[in-house]
Amino acid sequence: MQTLFVELGERRYPIFIGHTLDASSLLAPYIKAKQVMIVTNTTVAALYLEKYTLQFEQLGKSVATCILPDGEKYKDFGHLHLIFDALLQAGFNRDCTIVALGGGVIGDMAGYAAASFQRGVNFIQIPTTLLSQVDSSVGGKTGINHPLGKNMIGAFKQPEAVIADMAVLDTLPPRELSAGMAEVIKYALLCDAEFLLWLEQNMSKLMAGDADLLAQAVYRCCAHKARIVANDETEKGERALLNLGHTFGHAIESYLGYGTWLHGEAVATGMVMAAELSARQGWIDTVDVQRIQQIILAANLPIVSPAIPLEQFLNYMSHDKKVLDGQLRLILLKQLGKAVITNEFDQNALIAAIQAHQQAA
Ligand code: NAD
Ligand code: GLY
């Protein structure tokens, strides 16, 4: 097992990364509360709830559970309310701990519940998808969707600890593994060119579920995220780089309807569009764009979006949270392994980059 820390002063917390980890002993110092509420969904509950309930009971905790339906479409106010119902019905108070057991949907919802229940209670992340292990469980962004926009309601709420156990990835559907791999590739492109080479050498084994290699990849991604979050917890600057490919990806997701393409699939194609625009700006070479496409294809991810009317695509992009004073800012590549946030790009090059990676209408 390896341990990393997110260095946030008094709110410093560990990320434990390994295989078949014992939550009981690892979390003992981080759960002072007697009352533990495990928030999960129907799919993950069937696989792992009993195991984790037993581990918390071994710690002498009184464990209650809240099992939500599975899906991004339930990441809403109504289902957040079910977590509060469960907490109140179980008679939990301010010194309880909420445990998020699941992927990014559960982590974001349970975290937001922890940020707001009785003005804030402790919480623990046990991420069970690759995406949540390398990204959403670390850094404290929590929240729910609003009918008018994804992740529009939320709070920064750091966990007390994160446990990323490779054993749970055994049951992850291949399409979800690929979606998580998009976020892994993202770290390589934005800040770690050596990691890109490593991914190129190891992608087939990673996609076959090699647990040692997956643990190495999760560690490297979490190390980058921990550093970036420690520097810029509330996204005043550097943290926005973690959104490489996301503005393009959100346009694809919004047009298709959330859930048609997985988030990671949309981010993958979005990263190709961002790379294409970077090349058209003269910052990277076309061979770099081809290299990015190859690694994305090797992770069984798409490099071309369905045909989307340009006006609609640009309109969805303009709703991005990074828009400042009405100006669209994008994360682009100055070189492989070096991303920047910038509004200095040519509008015609942007349009050409989008159109170059769309199916013909
Ligand atoms: P998800 O939580 O919907 O999980 C994907 C699917 O895998 C679900 O059907 C889930 O039930 C299933 N699953 C989870 N673990 C499993 C396991 N071990 N075995 C079998 N099935 C399993 O999706 P996700 O990709 O983990 O997360 C996406 C969400 O994360 C989005 O809502 C996105 O907005 C959010 N997100 C948040 C941040 C952040 O910083 N907070 C960052 C990135 C994404
Ligand atoms: N996933 C982007 C962030 O945590 O900032």
Side-chain angles (χ1 to χ4, degrees), residues 185-230:
I185 295 168
K186 173 189 83 176
Y187 287 100
L189 300 185
L190 78 89
C191 66
D192 191 347
E194 266 180 38
F195 187 35
L196 179 59
L197 194 59
W198 186 89
L199 287 172
E200 286 166 338
Q201 286 160 352
N202 292 294
M203 188 54 82
S204 57
K205 288 185 189 153
L206 287 161
M207 294 311 294
D210 183 312
D212 284 344
L213 290 175
L214 282 167
Q216 289 178 47
V218 171
Y219 182 91
R220 198 139 170 177
C221 296
C222 287
H224 287 307
K225 183 140 189 193
R227 171 178 45 75
I228 291 169
V229 168

Short mmCIF file of all heavy atoms in Angstrom, two decimals, residues 185-230:
data_model
loop_
_atom_site.label_atom_id
_atom_site.label_comp_id
_atom_site.label_asym_id
_atom_site.label_seq_id
_atom_site.Cartn_x
_atom_site.Cartn_y
_atom_site.Cartn_z
N ILE A 185 -5.37 9.79 -18.56
CA ILE A 185 -4.64 10.37 -19.70
C ILE A 185 -4.58 11.89 -19.55
O ILE A 185 -3.56 12.53 -19.87
CB ILE A 185 -5.33 9.96 -21.03
CG1 ILE A 185 -5.21 8.44 -21.23
CG2 ILE A 185 -4.74 10.71 -22.22
CD1 ILE A 185 -6.10 7.87 -22.34
N LYS A 186 -5.66 12.46 -19.03
CA LYS A 186 -5.71 13.92 -18.82
C LYS A 186 -4.50 14.41 -18.01
O LYS A 186 -3.87 15.40 -18.37
CB LYS A 186 -7.02 14.26 -18.09
CG LYS A 186 -7.14 15.70 -17.66
CD LYS A 186 -8.36 15.91 -16.76
CE LYS A 186 -8.09 15.56 -15.32
NZ LYS A 186 -9.22 15.84 -14.42
N TYR A 187 -4.19 13.70 -16.90
CA TYR A 187 -3.06 14.15 -16.06
C TYR A 187 -1.75 14.12 -16.86
O TYR A 187 -0.92 15.02 -16.73
CB TYR A 187 -2.90 13.26 -14.83
CG TYR A 187 -3.97 13.47 -13.78
CD1 TYR A 187 -5.05 12.61 -13.68
CD2 TYR A 187 -3.89 14.54 -12.89
CE1 TYR A 187 -6.03 12.80 -12.73
CE2 TYR A 187 -4.87 14.73 -11.93
CZ TYR A 187 -5.94 13.86 -11.86
OH TYR A 187 -6.91 14.07 -10.92
N ALA A 188 -1.59 13.07 -17.67
CA ALA A 188 -0.35 12.97 -18.46
C ALA A 188 -0.24 14.17 -19.40
O ALA A 188 0.81 14.80 -19.50
CB ALA A 188 -0.35 11.67 -19.25
N LEU A 189 -1.34 14.48 -20.08
CA LEU A 189 -1.29 15.57 -21.07
C LEU A 189 -1.08 16.92 -20.42
O LEU A 189 -0.38 17.77 -20.94
CB LEU A 189 -2.59 15.59 -21.89
CG LEU A 189 -2.90 14.31 -22.69
CD1 LEU A 189 -4.14 14.53 -23.54
CD2 LEU A 189 -1.72 13.92 -23.56
N LEU A 190 -1.69 17.10 -19.25
CA LEU A 190 -1.64 18.46 -18.70
C LEU A 190 -0.36 18.75 -17.91
O LEU A 190 0.06 19.90 -17.82
CB LEU A 190 -2.90 18.78 -17.89
CG LEU A 190 -3.12 18.26 -16.48
CD1 LEU A 190 -2.56 19.21 -15.44
CD2 LEU A 190 -4.63 18.10 -16.24
N CYS A 191 0.26 17.71 -17.35
CA CYS A 191 1.42 18.05 -16.51
C CYS A 191 2.49 16.98 -16.41
O CYS A 191 3.40 17.13 -15.59
CB CYS A 191 0.95 18.44 -15.11
SG CYS A 191 0.19 17.10 -14.19
N ASP A 192 2.45 15.91 -17.20
CA ASP A 192 3.41 14.84 -16.96
C ASP A 192 3.68 14.04 -18.25
O ASP A 192 3.11 12.97 -18.46
CB ASP A 192 2.83 13.92 -15.85
CG ASP A 192 3.85 12.93 -15.32
OD1 ASP A 192 4.91 12.77 -15.94
OD2 ASP A 192 3.56 12.31 -14.27
N ALA A 193 4.58 14.59 -19.08
CA ALA A 193 4.86 13.95 -20.38
C ALA A 193 5.49 12.56 -20.21
O ALA A 193 5.24 11.66 -21.01
CB ALA A 193 5.78 14.84 -21.20
N GLU A 194 6.27 12.38 -19.12
CA GLU A 194 6.86 11.04 -18.89
C GLU A 194 5.78 9.99 -18.63
O GLU A 194 5.89 8.83 -19.01
CB GLU A 194 7.76 11.08 -17.65
CG GLU A 194 9.20 11.34 -17.96
CD GLU A 194 10.01 11.37 -16.68
OE1 GLU A 194 9.76 10.57 -15.76
OE2 GLU A 194 10.90 12.23 -16.62
N PHE A 195 4.75 10.44 -17.94
CA PHE A 195 3.62 9.55 -17.63
C PHE A 195 2.92 9.13 -18.93
O PHE A 195 2.45 8.00 -19.04
CB PHE A 195 2.66 10.28 -16.69
CG PHE A 195 1.52 9.45 -16.14
CD1 PHE A 195 1.67 8.11 -15.83
CD2 PHE A 195 0.27 10.04 -15.90
CE1 PHE A 195 0.61 7.35 -15.31
CE2 PHE A 195 -0.78 9.30 -15.38
CZ PHE A 195 -0.62 7.97 -15.10
N LEU A 196 2.88 10.03 -19.91
CA LEU A 196 2.27 9.69 -21.20
C LEU A 196 3.02 8.51 -21.83
O LEU A 196 2.42 7.55 -22.30
CB LEU A 196 2.27 10.91 -22.13
CG LEU A 196 1.69 10.68 -23.53
CD1 LEU A 196 0.24 10.22 -23.46
CD2 LEU A 196 1.81 11.93 -24.38
N LEU A 197 4.35 8.58 -21.78
CA LEU A 197 5.17 7.50 -22.32
C LEU A 197 4.87 6.20 -21.57
O LEU A 197 4.70 5.13 -22.17
CB LEU A 197 6.65 7.89 -22.16
CG LEU A 197 7.66 7.08 -22.92
CD1 LEU A 197 7.38 7.14 -24.42
CD2 LEU A 197 9.07 7.64 -22.64
N TRP A 198 4.79 6.30 -20.24
CA TRP A 198 4.50 5.13 -19.40
C TRP A 198 3.13 4.54 -19.78
O TRP A 198 2.97 3.33 -19.91
CB TRP A 198 4.53 5.55 -17.93
CG TRP A 198 4.37 4.44 -16.95
CD1 TRP A 198 5.36 3.68 -16.40
CD2 TRP A 198 3.13 3.95 -16.37
NE1 TRP A 198 4.82 2.75 -15.53
CE2 TRP A 198 3.46 2.90 -15.50
CE3 TRP A 198 1.80 4.31 -16.52
CZ2 TRP A 198 2.50 2.21 -14.76
CZ3 TRP A 198 0.84 3.60 -15.79
CH2 TRP A 198 1.20 2.57 -14.92
N LEU A 199 2.16 5.41 -19.99
CA LEU A 199 0.82 4.94 -20.36
C LEU A 199 0.85 4.25 -21.72
O LEU A 199 0.20 3.21 -21.93
CB LEU A 199 -0.18 6.10 -20.39
CG LEU A 199 -0.61 6.66 -19.03
CD1 LEU A 199 -1.45 7.93 -19.21
CD2 LEU A 199 -1.39 5.62 -18.23
N GLU A 200 1.62 4.82 -22.66
CA GLU A 200 1.72 4.20 -23.99
C GLU A 200 2.31 2.80 -23.88
O GLU A 200 1.88 1.87 -24.56
CB GLU A 200 2.57 5.08 -24.90
CG GLU A 200 1.83 6.34 -25.33
CD GLU A 200 2.73 7.40 -25.97
OE1 GLU A 200 3.96 7.39 -25.74
OE2 GLU A 200 2.19 8.25 -26.66
N GLN A 201 3.28 2.64 -22.97
CA GLN A 201 3.94 1.33 -22.81
C GLN A 201 3.03 0.32 -22.10
O GLN A 201 3.16 -0.88 -22.29
CB GLN A 201 5.24 1.50 -22.02
CG GLN A 201 6.33 2.14 -22.86
CD GLN A 201 7.44 2.75 -22.03
OE1 GLN A 201 7.35 2.82 -20.80
NE2 GLN A 201 8.49 3.22 -22.68
N ASN A 202 2.12 0.81 -21.26
CA ASN A 202 1.38 -0.10 -20.37
C ASN A 202 -0.12 -0.15 -20.61
O ASN A 202 -0.82 -0.86 -19.88
CB ASN A 202 1.62 0.32 -18.91
CG ASN A 202 3.06 0.07 -18.50
OD1 ASN A 202 3.49 -1.08 -18.44
ND2 ASN A 202 3.81 1.14 -18.27
N MET A 203 -0.62 0.58 -21.60
CA MET A 203 -2.08 0.70 -21.72
C MET A 203 -2.79 -0.64 -21.88
O MET A 203 -3.85 -0.87 -21.30
CB MET A 203 -2.44 1.66 -22.87
CG MET A 203 -3.93 1.99 -22.94
SD MET A 203 -4.60 2.65 -21.37
CE MET A 203 -4.14 4.37 -21.47
N SER A 204 -2.22 -1.56 -22.66
CA SER A 204 -2.97 -2.81 -22.86
C SER A 204 -3.09 -3.58 -21.55
O SER A 204 -4.14 -4.15 -21.26
CB SER A 204 -2.36 -3.66 -23.98
OG SER A 204 -1.02 -3.92 -23.66
N LYS A 205 -2.04 -3.55 -20.72
CA LYS A 205 -2.13 -4.26 -19.42
C LYS A 205 -3.08 -3.52 -18.48
O LYS A 205 -3.82 -4.15 -17.71
CB LYS A 205 -0.74 -4.36 -18.79
CG LYS A 205 0.17 -5.35 -19.49
CD LYS A 205 1.46 -5.49 -18.73
CE LYS A 205 2.47 -6.29 -19.51
NZ LYS A 205 3.84 -5.96 -19.17
N LEU A 206 -3.05 -2.20 -18.52
CA LEU A 206 -3.97 -1.43 -17.67
C LEU A 206 -5.41 -1.76 -18.04
O LEU A 206 -6.26 -1.99 -17.16
CB LEU A 206 -3.73 0.07 -17.84
CG LEU A 206 -2.45 0.62 -17.20
CD1 LEU A 206 -2.09 1.97 -17.81
CD2 LEU A 206 -2.61 0.76 -15.68
N MET A 207 -5.68 -1.81 -19.34
CA MET A 207 -7.06 -2.07 -19.77
C MET A 207 -7.47 -3.51 -19.48
O MET A 207 -8.65 -3.82 -19.40
CB MET A 207 -7.22 -1.77 -21.27
CG MET A 207 -7.05 -0.30 -21.62
SD MET A 207 -8.03 0.81 -20.59
CE MET A 207 -9.68 0.37 -21.06
N ALA A 208 -6.47 -4.39 -19.31
CA ALA A 208 -6.78 -5.78 -18.93
C ALA A 208 -6.95 -5.91 -17.42
O ALA A 208 -7.20 -7.00 -16.91
CB ALA A 208 -5.68 -6.71 -19.43
N GLY A 209 -6.79 -4.80 -16.70
CA GLY A 209 -7.07 -4.81 -15.26
C GLY A 209 -5.89 -5.17 -14.38
O GLY A 209 -6.08 -5.59 -13.23
N ASP A 210 -4.66 -5.01 -14.87
CA ASP A 210 -3.47 -5.32 -14.06
C ASP A 210 -3.46 -4.41 -12.81
O ASP A 210 -3.28 -3.19 -12.90
CB ASP A 210 -2.22 -5.06 -14.91
CG ASP A 210 -0.94 -5.43 -14.19
OD1 ASP A 210 -0.77 -5.02 -13.01
OD2 ASP A 210 -0.09 -6.12 -14.79
N ALA A 211 -3.67 -5.04 -11.65
CA ALA A 211 -3.91 -4.25 -10.42
C ALA A 211 -2.67 -3.47 -9.99
O ALA A 211 -2.79 -2.34 -9.49
CB ALA A 211 -4.37 -5.18 -9.30
N ASP A 212 -1.48 -4.04 -10.17
CA ASP A 212 -0.27 -3.32 -9.76
C ASP A 212 -0.09 -2.05 -10.60
O ASP A 212 0.23 -0.98 -10.08
CB ASP A 212 0.98 -4.20 -9.94
CG ASP A 212 1.08 -5.23 -8.82
OD1 ASP A 212 0.38 -5.05 -7.81
OD2 ASP A 212 1.84 -6.20 -9.00
N LEU A 213 -0.29 -2.22 -11.92
CA LEU A 213 -0.13 -1.05 -12.80
C LEU A 213 -1.22 -0.02 -12.54
O LEU A 213 -0.97 1.19 -12.54
CB LEU A 213 -0.15 -1.49 -14.26
CG LEU A 213 1.08 -2.29 -14.72
CD1 LEU A 213 0.90 -2.77 -16.16
CD2 LEU A 213 2.36 -1.45 -14.62
N LEU A 214 -2.45 -0.52 -12.28
CA LEU A 214 -3.53 0.43 -11.98
C LEU A 214 -3.21 1.22 -10.72
O LEU A 214 -3.42 2.43 -10.66
CB LEU A 214 -4.87 -0.32 -11.82
CG LEU A 214 -5.53 -0.74 -13.14
CD1 LEU A 214 -6.66 -1.73 -12.90
CD2 LEU A 214 -6.05 0.47 -13.92
N ALA A 215 -2.66 0.53 -9.71
CA ALA A 215 -2.31 1.23 -8.46
C ALA A 215 -1.24 2.30 -8.74
O ALA A 215 -1.29 3.41 -8.19
CB ALA A 215 -1.82 0.24 -7.42
N GLN A 216 -0.28 1.96 -9.60
CA GLN A 216 0.76 2.96 -9.94
C GLN A 216 0.15 4.17 -10.64
O GLN A 216 0.52 5.32 -10.37
CB GLN A 216 1.81 2.33 -10.85
CG GLN A 216 2.72 1.33 -10.15
CD GLN A 216 3.72 0.72 -11.15
OE1 GLN A 216 4.37 1.41 -11.93
NE2 GLN A 216 3.85 -0.60 -11.12
N ALA A 217 -0.80 3.89 -11.54
CA ALA A 217 -1.44 5.00 -12.27
C ALA A 217 -2.27 5.85 -11.31
O ALA A 217 -2.23 7.08 -11.35
CB ALA A 217 -2.31 4.45 -13.40
N VAL A 218 -3.01 5.20 -10.42
CA VAL A 218 -3.85 5.95 -9.47
C VAL A 218 -2.95 6.81 -8.57
O VAL A 218 -3.24 7.99 -8.32
CB VAL A 218 -4.73 4.99 -8.62
CG1 VAL A 218 -5.44 5.74 -7.49
CG2 VAL A 218 -5.76 4.29 -9.51
N TYR A 219 -1.84 6.23 -8.13
CA TYR A 219 -0.92 6.98 -7.26
C TYR A 219 -0.41 8.23 -7.99
O TYR A 219 -0.42 9.33 -7.44
CB TYR A 219 0.26 6.09 -6.85
CG TYR A 219 1.23 6.79 -5.92
CD1 TYR A 219 1.06 6.72 -4.53
CD2 TYR A 219 2.28 7.56 -6.41
CE1 TYR A 219 1.91 7.39 -3.68
CE2 TYR A 219 3.14 8.23 -5.56
CZ TYR A 219 2.96 8.13 -4.20
OH TYR A 219 3.80 8.81 -3.35
N ARG A 220 0.01 8.04 -9.23
CA ARG A 220 0.60 9.18 -9.97
C ARG A 220 -0.44 10.28 -10.20
O ARG A 220 -0.15 11.47 -10.05
CB ARG A 220 1.13 8.66 -11.31
CG ARG A 220 2.10 9.59 -11.96
CD ARG A 220 3.23 8.80 -12.54
NE ARG A 220 4.09 9.62 -13.38
CZ ARG A 220 5.18 9.15 -13.97
NH1 ARG A 220 5.53 7.89 -13.81
NH2 ARG A 220 5.94 9.93 -14.71
N CYS A 221 -1.66 9.88 -10.55
CA CYS A 221 -2.73 10.88 -10.76
C CYS A 221 -3.06 11.59 -9.45
O CYS A 221 -3.21 12.82 -9.42
CB CYS A 221 -3.99 10.21 -11.31
SG CYS A 221 -3.75 9.47 -12.94
N CYS A 222 -3.20 10.81 -8.37
CA CYS A 222 -3.56 11.42 -7.08
C CYS A 222 -2.44 12.34 -6.59
O CYS A 222 -2.72 13.37 -5.96
CB CYS A 222 -3.88 10.36 -6.04
SG CYS A 222 -5.46 9.55 -6.31
N ALA A 223 -1.19 11.98 -6.88
CA ALA A 223 -0.08 12.86 -6.47
C ALA A 223 -0.20 14.21 -7.18
O ALA A 223 -0.02 15.26 -6.57
CB ALA A 223 1.25 12.19 -6.80
N HIS A 224 -0.53 14.17 -8.47
CA HIS A 224 -0.71 15.44 -9.20
C HIS A 224 -1.90 16.21 -8.64
O HIS A 224 -1.84 17.41 -8.41
CB HIS A 224 -0.91 15.17 -10.69
CG HIS A 224 0.35 14.76 -11.39
ND1 HIS A 224 1.52 15.49 -11.31
CD2 HIS A 224 0.63 13.68 -12.17
CE1 HIS A 224 2.47 14.88 -12.02
NE2 HIS A 224 1.95 13.79 -12.55
N LYS A 225 -3.00 15.48 -8.42
CA LYS A 225 -4.20 16.20 -7.96
C LYS A 225 -3.97 16.78 -6.57
O LYS A 225 -4.36 17.91 -6.27
CB LYS A 225 -5.44 15.29 -7.98
CG LYS A 225 -6.68 16.07 -7.56
CD LYS A 225 -7.92 15.75 -8.32
CE LYS A 225 -9.03 16.74 -7.96
NZ LYS A 225 -10.33 16.34 -8.42
N ALA A 226 -3.32 16.01 -5.70
CA ALA A 226 -3.06 16.48 -4.33
C ALA A 226 -2.23 17.77 -4.36
O ALA A 226 -2.50 18.72 -3.63
CB ALA A 226 -2.35 15.40 -3.54
N ARG A 227 -1.21 17.78 -5.22
CA ARG A 227 -0.36 18.98 -5.32
C ARG A 227 -1.15 20.17 -5.83
O ARG A 227 -1.09 21.27 -5.26
CB ARG A 227 0.83 18.66 -6.27
CG ARG A 227 1.69 19.85 -6.66
CD ARG A 227 2.84 19.43 -7.55
NE ARG A 227 2.50 18.51 -8.63
CZ ARG A 227 1.86 18.85 -9.75
NH1 ARG A 227 1.52 20.10 -9.96
NH2 ARG A 227 1.57 17.93 -10.67
N ILE A 228 -1.94 19.95 -6.88
CA ILE A 228 -2.69 21.06 -7.48
C ILE A 228 -3.73 21.59 -6.49
O ILE A 228 -3.89 22.81 -6.32
CB ILE A 228 -3.35 20.59 -8.81
CG1 ILE A 228 -2.25 20.34 -9.86
CG2 ILE A 228 -4.37 21.59 -9.31
CD1 ILE A 228 -2.72 19.62 -11.12
N VAL A 229 -4.41 20.68 -5.79
CA VAL A 229 -5.44 21.11 -4.83
C VAL A 229 -4.79 21.84 -3.64
O VAL A 229 -5.32 22.85 -3.16
CB VAL A 229 -6.27 19.89 -4.35
CG1 VAL A 229 -7.14 20.23 -3.15
CG2 VAL A 229 -7.14 19.37 -5.50
N ALA A 230 -3.64 21.36 -3.20
CA ALA A 230 -2.96 22.04 -2.09
C ALA A 230 -2.56 23.46 -2.48
O ALA A 230 -2.60 24.38 -1.66
CB ALA A 230 -1.73 21.23 -1.67
#
